Amino acid sequence: MKDLRRYLALKYIQYLVLSSSNAVSTLLGLLGSAYTIILLQSAKVSSKSTAVLISSLAQADILVLLSLVLGGFGAGVSSLAQVLLMANTHLSCVLLSCVALEAYLITFLPSESRPHRTVSNARLLCRGVWVLVAAECALFLLDEHLGASTASAPSSATLGLLLQLSSTATALLQSLCYILGILLRITNVYIYYKIFFSMSPR
């Protein structure tokens, strides 16, 4: 449907084109996600793997709403709000790349990929992405909690070791996320470049 294509275009601009989010893109993204969630409940939208991926993408914006609510409570929960925003960004980027990959398979390998492009596989993939991002957020929150505990109480050898391990893991994860972000942008550009020129009149 045209509305879903417009929504995907909006999310690509918001997460894979703009260098950082702003109030306008965030508001448009939230409105688009709310409309998409309602639209996907309609009988006019068939239950396909692409619809499952788009639904999960729209639901990820719930984290933005939660971060805005938490941000209103002051500095005490500001770190959690930032982690929720990060989770939303990472979820959205990965799910958008999944949609792009599926579009590539539909365009170039329709019959070969059909057995794998099922609703159940799409749901499993979405759950896996959410679990991985949740684990990432847990690691960042653990590192921050250990850092605060070390600063507010006499440090012990065990606590210091845990802080060192979590800090190292967090730094490595941040580097990995940065590299993956660049690779996802390049991959998405390549996929849609191939699709565009494959559909253009020769």
Side-chain angles (χ1 to χ4, degrees):
M1 294 179 65
K2 289 184 178 180
D3 288 341
L4 293 180
R5 287 196 291 269
R6 293 191 187 101
Y7 172 69
L8 287 175
L10 170 64
K11 302 307 280 185
Y12 273 109
I13 293 172
Q14 182 181 359
Y15 290 106
L16 295 174
V17 176
L18 296 178
S19 58
S20 61
S21 60
N22 54 63
V24 175
S25 64
T26 300
L27 178 60
L28 290 176
L30 288 173
L31 292 175
S33 294
Y35 174 73
T36 299
I37 290 174
I38 296 172
L39 182 63
L40 289 172
Q41 307 304 315
S42 170
K44 296 180 180 179
V45 180
S46 59
S47 180
K48 293 183 178 180
S49 55
T50 304
V52 173
L53 295 173
I54 295 175
S55 176
S56 186
L57 173 65
Q59 291 167 11
D61 271 2
I62 295 174
L63 299 178
V64 178
L65 288 176
L66 290 176
S67 69
L68 294 176
V69 172
L70 291 173
F73 286 99
V77 290
S78 61
S79 58
L80 179 58
Q82 290 298 318
V83 168
L84 290 175
L85 287 176
M86 178 198 70
N88 168 259
T89 300
H90 292 181
L91 280 169
S92 299
C93 289
V94 174
L95 290 171
L96 284 169
S97 298
C98 291
V99 173
L101 177 60
E102 184 169 53
Y104 180 90
L105 293 175
I106 291 172
T107 304
F108 297 104
L109 300 167
S111 58
E112 296 89 342
S113 64
R114 186 174 291 111
H116 307 288
R117 291 185 287 105
T118 63
V119 171
S120 59
N121 284 344
R123 288 174 178 164
L124 184 62
L125 176 62
C126 291
R127 292 192 191 102
V129 172
W130 278 82
V131 168
L132 287 175
V133 173
E136 175 191 17
C137 294
L139 179 59
F140 280 112
L141 290 173
L142 175 63
D143 181 61
E144 182 171 352
H145 175 72
L146 289 174
S149 299
T150 303
S152 61
S155 60
S156 64
T158 303
L159 187 60
L161 179 60
L162 287 175
L163 178 60
Q164 183 178 4
L165 290 174
S166 66
S167 298
T168 302
T170 301
L172 291 173
L173 185 58
Q174 287 175 333
S175 300
L176 178 62
C177 289
Y178 178 76
I179 295 172
L180 285 177
I182 295 175
L183 291 176
L184 288 179
R185 283 173 169 83
I186 295 173
T187 303
N188 277 273
V189 170
Y190 172 77
I191 287 175
Y192 283 110
Y193 170 84
K194 292 282 290 183
I195 292 174
F196 176 77
F197 281 100
S198 70
M199 299 177 67
S200 299
R202 300 182 184 278

